[in-house]
């Protein structure tokens, strides 16, 4: 295990800004993506959560790359431990085992091909249960990881300039409708989730030897700000590569490789804020 993919240093929201000029190698085919990602210890497959094409790409890449383990942003470790190859063969059984209908994630039919493709792999969950995340935000997100927070670098505050940029992004992502004093907490929450993903990926890699695939939103997958930053601090010799999945050629952040798909029609998210006023 040597070195990293591209740069490293993420939020989970879908793209709200046009792509930066340098976001990674733009692939045209799945074969090109697989070639760019192969050989890594940890392979991060980004997504826009409600885009079915992104999940089909993930499923096909899992079939091609044959990872020994998958890490999921969407489920807890306790839920992951309840999955078996037998359950994973049946999408309905998988959805029931994960209580997916109550999870708040997009319809399970989008994710079913990804779970099915990885039915023989070990599964790890990175979702921090609500009560634990609330306690961590109150006590400081580093508290959730105890002594390990220092290994991941979560004990360090973000540089002031980066903190300012990330708070501005959170305001934009929430339609300029959030109180300003909430913004630091939103940034902390994203860092908590990034580090939880990194910790799960580390556990998966140590237990299975890899390769490990991480299924997560593009914000956590980006190399300039996401889970790779924290994982690289804890496991500096690991090779980490990331795919960013664009919609209509738009994405934020840096990745090793990007692939575009049509955007999914969706209502204006800011309508929910205007209705609540």
């Amino acid at each position: 295990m040597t070195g990293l993919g591209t740069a490293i240093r993420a939020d989970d929201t879908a793209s709200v800004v046009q792509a930066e000029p340098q976001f990674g190698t733009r692939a045209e085919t799945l074969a090109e993506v697989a070639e760019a990602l192969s050989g890594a210890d940890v392979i991060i497959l980004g997504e826009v959560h409600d885009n079915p094409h992104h999940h089909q790409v993930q499923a096909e890449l899992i079939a091609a790359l044959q990872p020994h383990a998958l890490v999921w942003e969407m489920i807890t470790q306790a839920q992951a431990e309840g999955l078996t190859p037998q359950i994973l063969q049946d999408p309905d059984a998988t959805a029931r085992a994960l209580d997916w209908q109550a999870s708040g994630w997009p319809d399970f039919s989008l994710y079913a091909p990804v779970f099915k493709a990885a039915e023989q792999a070990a599964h790890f969950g990175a979702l921090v249960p609500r009560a634990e995340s609330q306690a961590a935000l109150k006590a400081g997100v580093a508290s959730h990881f105890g002594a390990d927070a220092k290994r991941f670098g979560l004990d360090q505050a973000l540089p002031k300039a980066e903190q300012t940029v990330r708070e501005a992004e959170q305001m934009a992502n929430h339609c300029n409708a959030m109180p300003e004093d909430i913004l630091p907490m939103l940034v902390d929450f994203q860092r908590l989730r990034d580090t939880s993903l990194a910790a799960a990926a580390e556990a998966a890699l140590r237990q299975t030897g890899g390769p490990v695939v991480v299924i997560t939103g593009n914000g956590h997958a980006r190399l300039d700000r996401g889970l790779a930053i924290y994982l690289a601090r804890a496991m500096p010799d690991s090779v980490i590569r990331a795919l960013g999945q664009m919609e209509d050629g738009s994405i934020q952040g840096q990745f090793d490789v990007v692939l575009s798909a049509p955007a999914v029609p969706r209502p204006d998210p800011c309508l929910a804020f205007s209705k609540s006023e």
Side-chain angles (χ1 to χ4, degrees), residues 36 43 76-77 96 151 164 175 180 183 207 211 216 247 275:
I43 300 164
T76 66
Q77 179 58 23
R96 286 194 301 271
R151 285 198 311 113
T164 299
C175 305
E180 289 193 6
L183 299 177
Q207 290 182 37
T216 188
E247 287 192 323
K275 289 177 182 178

Side-chain angles (χ1 to χ4, degrees), residues 106-129:
D107 192 85
F108 186 77
S109 62
L110 278 71
Y111 287 88
V114 190
F115 279 99
K116 184 72 167 59
E119 64 184 26
Q120 297 301 321
H123 291 260
F124 294 77
L127 182 66
V128 181

Side-chain angles (χ1 to χ4, degrees), residues 38 50 70-71 143 162 164 170 178 204 211 228 241 271 275:
S38 64
D50 62 350
L70 255 72
V71 171
S143 66
E162 182 177 349
T164 299
Q170 287 294 337
M178 299 298 291
R241 297 194 182 119
L271 291 177
K275 289 177 182 178

Side-chain angles (χ1 to χ4, degrees), residues 205-219:
L205 186 56
R206 292 195 186 282
Q207 290 182 37
T208 70
V212 173
V213 158
V214 181
I215 302 296
T216 188
N218 282 329

Side-chain angles (χ1 to χ4, degrees), residues 62 66-70 83-85 88 117-123:
I62 288 168
Q66 293 291 298
H68 290 165
L70 255 72
L83 296 175
T84 65
L88 289 163
E119 64 184 26
Q120 297 301 321
H123 291 260

Side-chain angles (χ1 to χ4, degrees), residues 38-92:
S38 64
D41 301 303
V42 177
I43 300 164
I44 309 169
L45 301 183
E47 64 181 45
V48 175
H49 297 309
D50 62 350
N51 191 312
H53 184 80
H54 289 182
H55 300 299
Q56 189 58 45
V57 165
Q58 291 169 333
E60 293 185 32
L61 286 172
I62 288 168
L65 297 168
Q66 293 291 298
H68 290 165
L70 255 72
V71 171
W72 293 90
E73 176 192 351
M74 302 82 192
I75 65 176
T76 66
Q77 179 58 23
Q79 289 174 314
E81 289 171 358
L83 296 175
T84 65
Q86 292 73 27
I87 289 174
L88 289 163
Q89 288 173 10
D90 183 343
D92 291 337

